[in-house]
Amino acid sequence: MALTLNTAPFVRSSSIQANRVRIQYALSPVSVSFSRRRLLVIAAETDKNEVKSQAPDKAPASGGSSFNQLLGIKGAALETNKWKIRLQLTKPVTWPPLVWGVVCGAAASGNFHWNFEDVAKSITCMLMSGPFLTGYTQTINDWYDREIDAINEPYRPIPSGAISENEVMAQIWVLLLGGLGLAGLLDVWAGHDIPIVFYLALGGSLLSYIYSAPPLKLKQNGWIGNCALGASYISLPWWAGQALFGTLAPDIVVLTLLYSIAGFGIGIVNDFKSVEGDRALGLQSLPVAFGAETAKWICVGAIDITQLSVAGYLLGAGKPYYALALLALIAPQVFFQFKYFLKDPVKYDVKYQASAQPFLVLGLLVTALATSH
């Protein structure tokens, strides 16, 4: 690390994680002595506690949040408890969209009833979609992203060495087999002649694998990878919830695939924080391929145009009140896009998602209720 001393009495240091901080260095007089070819510069030592310049995504997370650690998001505290580390790998913060997709599918089926059996079925389906199969997806993604994470987030469990390869492999298999087992149980419980929930779970698991793992590694291409991500997070859990309580109609399949384009846009939001590592390893995420400015407009366009198209579909299907409700939920998303995301997609990614995505998922439920069979 190089240190440059200027004649100015202070140096400005900027931190990614915090607002700019002005730190003044009080230097004692500098004495210079020459001895043959040697130059000796003696200065008073700066207080070690005075300067702590750390890039938040490249420094040990010693000052991180324990809550963030449990959710599996950036800013996490360092942890030595293996069970907490295992939970971190599954990224619980990513479970709610899948759980919500099951709710929307159950609502769209028109056959869900508020009794003990149906509630128990839906909770089991949520466990399958969220903790087990999404946990599997996130763990396997972290495993195959360990080289990228060593650049972008070296304090994460795998690149930091907090968990061994054998432990990661065991977790992947337990989550995968547990999720597939729950899928088979749900088919038996629902009395399906064709194990459609199991097939959906198996297909989603395969999609998760080829998304992260070579040689296909779909995420290497920003278009294909984010389309796969959108389908996984919106269409598959919806289909599982609807198949569990009813039948999958062709119009629902088309509509949810259309909604997956919005999921494609959401996937781009997460690409901005990984630009440095993606570029270093040759991954063509959209921010790398098109630049941040173009990519952020592709992102909001995919999210907004998709929902407007669904609103138009509902209006054409004779559901004007549902269409108006969906439009009302799109408006605040556009507001937060301009307030946060379009200003700085890296700095405000968490604020934007926390502010805007609740309205998107409510729109999913509005659509599910409108198309209830």
Side-chain angles (χ1 to χ4, degrees), residues 49-63:
N49 295 326
E50 196 172 349
V51 182
K52 292 181 181 178
S53 60
Q54 291 184 341
D57 289 343
K58 297 184 179 183
S62 56

Side-chain angles (χ1 to χ4, degrees), residues 57 91 141-143 145-156 158-159 274 277 281:
D57 289 343
K91 293 185 182 177
N141 185 65
D142 263 30
W143 173 251
D145 271 3
R146 60 193 185 278
E147 293 179 0
I148 297 176
D149 286 342
I151 298 171
N152 294 323
E153 299 175 275
Y155 53 82
R156 285 197 59 77
I158 295 174
S274 303
L281 294 177

Side-chain angles (χ1 to χ4, degrees), residues 280-323:
L281 294 177
L283 300 184
Q284 289 298 303
S285 65
L286 294 190
V288 171
F290 294 97
E293 191 65 26
T294 301
K296 67 186 183 182
W297 284 103
I298 294 174
C299 172
V300 298
I303 294 171
D304 297 342
I305 293 172
T306 296
Q307 294 178 91
L308 290 170
S309 300
V310 174
Y313 169 83
L314 295 178
L315 185 63
K319 306 286 181 76
Y321 296 113
Y322 288 102

Side-chain angles (χ1 to χ4, degrees), residues 120-249:
K121 284 180 183 177
S122 63
I123 291 174
T124 304
C125 193
M126 291 173 190
L127 286 172
M128 175 199 73
S129 300
F132 278 92
L133 294 183
T134 306
Y136 152 79
T137 299
Q138 295 297 342
T139 304
I140 201 170
N141 185 65
D142 263 30
W143 173 251
Y144 285 108
D145 271 3
R146 60 193 185 278
E147 293 179 0
I148 297 176
D149 286 342
I151 298 171
N152 294 323
E153 299 175 275
Y155 53 82
R156 285 197 59 77
I158 295 174
S160 69
I163 188 168
S164 70
E165 176 179 350
N166 288 338
E167 290 170 327
V168 174
M169 291 297 109
Q171 176 160 321
I172 288 171
W173 280 107
V174 167
L175 292 173
L176 174 61
L177 296 177
L180 294 177
L182 286 177
L185 172 65
L186 287 169
D187 280 316
V188 173
W189 199 346
H192 291 158
D193 294 328
I194 299 174
I196 186 168
V197 178
F198 177 81
Y199 288 155
L200 289 171
L202 187 62
S205 301
L206 177 60
L207 185 61
S208 297
Y209 179 79
I210 64 174
Y211 171 81
S212 299
L216 295 179
K217 197 161 187 165
L218 301 181
K219 66 184 299 179
Q220 290 183 112
N221 182 289
W223 295 102
I224 299 173
N226 284 319
C227 283
L229 196 66
S232 298
Y233 271 75
I234 294 179
S235 297
L236 286 172
W238 182 315
W239 294 349
Q242 185 154 354
L244 182 60
F245 294 102
T247 56
L248 278 175

Side-chain angles (χ1 to χ4, degrees), residues 101-112 241-242 245 365 368-369 371-373:
V102 173
V103 172
C104 292
S109 72
N111 292 321
F112 177 83
Q242 185 154 354
F245 294 102
L365 183 58
L369 294 172
T371 57
S372 177
H373 287 69

Side-chain angles (χ1 to χ4, degrees), residues 243-264:
L244 182 60
F245 294 102
T247 56
L248 278 175
D251 58 330
I252 290 294
V253 173
V254 172
L255 194 60
T256 50
L257 286 175
L258 179 62
Y259 241 122
S260 294
I261 300 174
F264 161 83

